[in-house]
């Protein structure tokens, strides 16, 4: 095998396509980060074919172990390309499990301005997310679902390239998004995979056309591996849930699991759950999917399922029950409406950027949106809260975000 550096030079000079084996050599644990970074930038600059994206996906999958199920037909998985306030997975996985499906999901942390499920789950004291295959399978079989991070046994190549993509400015390259997502989905062995591609300023994917292209690419990778793909796209110019920042978003997700919370987030999750429950009917599915989803949320069944998962993986359920609501950043700065008007919304991207900047210091920090788009606000009514480590950064972010709130007289 040629050295990694030679392979990269050959690709640049002759435009050859990399095979799965060549990608595997470039991503081998002994390859220096600088070479992996050069691979990422090469793919960003020179483009890639569908078959090269599929080969990269397979190399990521082969970097760890693959999960197999005695009967994969009732095993489902779900992923989103991400957007500001995307708390869907934390609600959807236990909700589907409460409805008799098994959910096996590997997830990731924040990329650019989009929060990551892993960072939100990491706020739960004691919760172990770095699992072996045996622990992952054991959790799905005992609890009904598992959401875990990449680990030395589960797509380690994705875990490694994740951070490097951020550092090399290659987060939004289509082949890198597709390989990152599809490797996690193929590795966990679910027969049915639901994928949401979010687009717009609050997402990683810029335009609807880019989203359609990514749908096509990921569907092709999934279907050629024999998986059933349920694809959807969604505009993400507004935050999906009214909060950004790991702890604040965990709180939003848990509120919906407990039958309350944001109606927008609940409706979004319900739509996806219905789609999946129609595609993969659970054994005792006499009632309409919508009724079963509502029942699981309103009865506390979905929250109970989530607590079972937290407990199984060593997390502190007592903290979840009693301290999630009261755990706070040291400073909260509130921003108020200056006049009576109709609140029309806030640009998602600066909200995500502020939340990521604040949360890099402390996971309890972030942004809460208190007004509802389309609803009137009176002069002096609270519109935003900035949860910050100190007053100076709280006021600085409040000033910036105030300029991104839209009102109609
Ligand atoms: N989610 C992932 O797991 N990877 C990406 O590249 C984007 C979203």
């Amino acid at each position: 095998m040629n050295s990694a550096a030679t392979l990269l030079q050959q690709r640049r000079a002759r435009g050859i396509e990399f095979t799965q084996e060549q990608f595997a050599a470039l991503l081998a644990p002994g390859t220096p980060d600088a070479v992996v970074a050069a691979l990422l930038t090469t793919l960003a600059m020179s483009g890639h074919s569908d078959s090269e994206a599929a080969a990269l996906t397979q190399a990521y999958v082969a970097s760890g172990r693959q999960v197999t199920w005695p009967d994969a037909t009732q095993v489902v998985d779900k992923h989103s390309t991400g957007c500001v306030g995307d708390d869907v997975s934390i609600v959807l996985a236990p909700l589907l499990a409460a409805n008799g499906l098994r959910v096996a999901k590997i997830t990731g942390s924040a990329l650019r301005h989009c929060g990551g499920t892993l960072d939100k789950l990491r706020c739960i004291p004691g919760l172990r997310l770095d699992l072996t295959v045996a622990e992952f399978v054991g959790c799905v079989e005992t609890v009904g679902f598992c959401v875990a991070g990449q680990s030395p046994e589960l797509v380690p190549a994705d875990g490694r390239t994740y951070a490097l993509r951020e550092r090399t400015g290659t987060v939004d390259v289509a082949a890198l998004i597709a390989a990152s997502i599809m490797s996690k989905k193929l590795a966990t062995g679910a027969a049915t995979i639901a994928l949401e591609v979010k687009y717009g300023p609050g997402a990683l994917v810029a335009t609807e056309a880019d989203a359609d292209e990514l749908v096509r690419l990921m569907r092709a990778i999934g279907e050629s591996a024999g998986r059933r793909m349920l694809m959807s796209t969604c505009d993400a110019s507004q935050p999906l849930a009214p909060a950004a920042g790991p702890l604040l978003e965990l709180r939003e997700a848990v509120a919906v699991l407990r039958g309350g919370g944001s109606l927008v987030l609940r409706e979004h999750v319900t739509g996806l759950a219905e789609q999946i429950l129609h595609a993969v009917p659970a054994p005792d599915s006499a009632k309409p999917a919508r009724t079963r989803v509502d029942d699981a949320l309103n009865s506390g069944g979905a929250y109970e399922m989530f607590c079972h998962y937290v407990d199984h993986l060593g997390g502190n359920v007592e903290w979840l029950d009693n301290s999630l609501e009261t755990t706070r950043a040291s400073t909260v700065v509130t921003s108020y409406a200056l006049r009576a008007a109709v609140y029309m919304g806030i640009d998602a991207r600066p909200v995500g950027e502020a939340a990521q900047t604040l949360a890099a210091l402390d996971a309890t920090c972030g942004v809460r949106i208190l007004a509802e788009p389309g609803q009137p606000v009176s002069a002096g009514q609270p519109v935003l809260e900035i949860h910050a480590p100190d007053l100076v950064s709280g006021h600085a972010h409040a000033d910036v975000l105030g300029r991104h709130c839209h009102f109609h007289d």
Side-chain angles (χ1 to χ4, degrees):
M1 175 63 69
N2 288 330
S3 77
T6 313
L7 276 176
L8 281 171
Q9 269 168 4
Q10 285 177 343
R11 189 183 193 281
R12 288 205 193 100
R14 293 196 241 131
I16 55 157
E17 282 195 2
F18 283 147
T19 61
Q20 179 185 335
E21 290 68 32
Q22 288 168 327
F23 277 127
L26 288 161
L27 294 165
T31 309
D33 276 358
V35 175
V36 179
L39 167 64
L40 301 177
T41 45
T42 300
L43 289 172
M45 286 183 314
S46 60
H48 51 80
S49 66
D50 285 6
S51 57
E52 206 171 29
L56 181 62
T57 306
Q58 293 298 349
Y60 278 19
V61 173
S63 70
R65 293 180 50 200
Q66 266 182 277
V67 181
T68 52
W69 305 98
D71 173 14
T73 54
Q74 295 289 307
V75 184
V76 301
D77 195 354
K78 171 270 160 193
H79 212 91
S80 159
T81 51
C83 71
V84 177
D86 189 342
D87 307 329
V88 172
S89 296
I90 298 176
V91 186
L92 185 66
L95 178 58
L96 292 173
N99 275 289
L101 297 184
R102 287 187 295 160
V103 185
K105 174 174 168 67
I106 306 175
T107 195
S109 44
L111 283 170
R112 287 209 328 222
H113 55 289
C114 304
T117 300
L118 208 50
D119 306 317
K120 300 166 204 175
L121 292 173
R122 279 191 185 124
C123 294
I124 302 173
L127 184 67
R128 287 192 50 239
L129 296 158
D130 177 2
L131 304 182
T132 63
V133 167
E135 289 169 327
F136 182 79
V137 170
C139 184
V140 175
E141 282 177 347
T142 310
V143 177
F145 82 97
C146 189
V147 181
Q150 307 100 330
S151 73
E153 289 195 6
L154 294 166
V155 282
D158 179 50
R160 183 177 186 201
T161 46
Y162 226 78
L164 285 172
R165 283 166 64 200
E166 203 69 86
R167 277 156 51 197
T168 51
T170 56
V171 163
D172 54 7
V173 176
L176 298 178
I177 297 178
S180 169
I181 292 179
M182 289 310 300
S183 60
K184 292 196 275 291
K185 306 303 97 182
L186 298 186
T188 51
T192 302
I193 298 165
L195 289 187
E196 282 194 289
V197 179
K198 311 253 176 39
Y199 62 88
L204 290 185
V205 178
T207 66
E208 190 169 4
D210 294 336
D212 289 341
E213 179 52 23
L214 206 46
V215 162
R216 189 195 60 72
L217 180 59
M218 292 198 286
R219 185 199 291 280
I221 294 172
E223 288 180 348
S224 65
R227 310 304 170 88
R228 178 176 191 183
M229 303 297 293
L230 306 175
M231 310 295 298
S232 54
T233 59
C234 159
D235 172 78
S237 35
Q238 287 291 308
L240 181 51
L247 181 99
L248 295 172
E249 290 189 60
L250 175 68
R251 207 183 277 170
E252 288 298 329
V254 166
V256 175
L257 278 170
R258 287 176 176 153
S262 149
L263 287 180
V264 174
L265 178 61
R266 178 174 167 136
E267 260 317 299
H268 192 95
V269 175
T270 298
L272 271 173
E274 277 188 279
Q275 184 196 18
I276 296 168
L277 288 168
H278 278 132
V280 189
D284 54 346
S285 51
K287 286 190 202 164
R290 172 87 201 197
T291 311
R292 288 186 293 133
V293 168
D294 282 343
D295 285 353
L297 292 173
N298 297 339
S299 68
Y303 179 61
E304 220 174 274
M305 183 60 79
F306 185 66
C307 291
H308 189 186
Y309 152 82
V310 169
D311 185 50
H312 184 83
L313 294 182
N316 187 339
V317 176
E318 203 263 318
W319 178 87
L320 198 63
D321 280 340
N322 300 318
S323 303
L324 172 61
E325 287 307 314
T326 51
T327 303
R328 285 195 148 225
S330 42
T331 306
V332 178
V333 172
T334 307
S335 182
Y336 300 92
L338 296 178
R339 60 182 193 281
V342 176
Y343 170 75
M344 301 305 289
I346 185 164
D347 301 326
R349 192 181 181 111
V351 172
E353 286 169 346
Q356 292 310 316
T357 307
L358 289 162
L361 304 169
D362 177 350
T364 62
C365 295
V367 180
R368 269 187 79 210
I369 302 156
L370 307 173
E372 251 184 72
Q375 295 300 312
V377 288
S378 46
Q381 184 175 323
V383 173
L384 290 179
E385 277 177 5
I386 312 301
H387 293 232
D390 54 67
L391 267 179
V392 174
S393 64
H395 280 293
H397 285 290
D399 282 350
V400 171
L401 291 181
R403 292 197 285 274
H404 287 280
C405 286
H406 301 286
F407 296 93
H408 186 68
D409 291 319

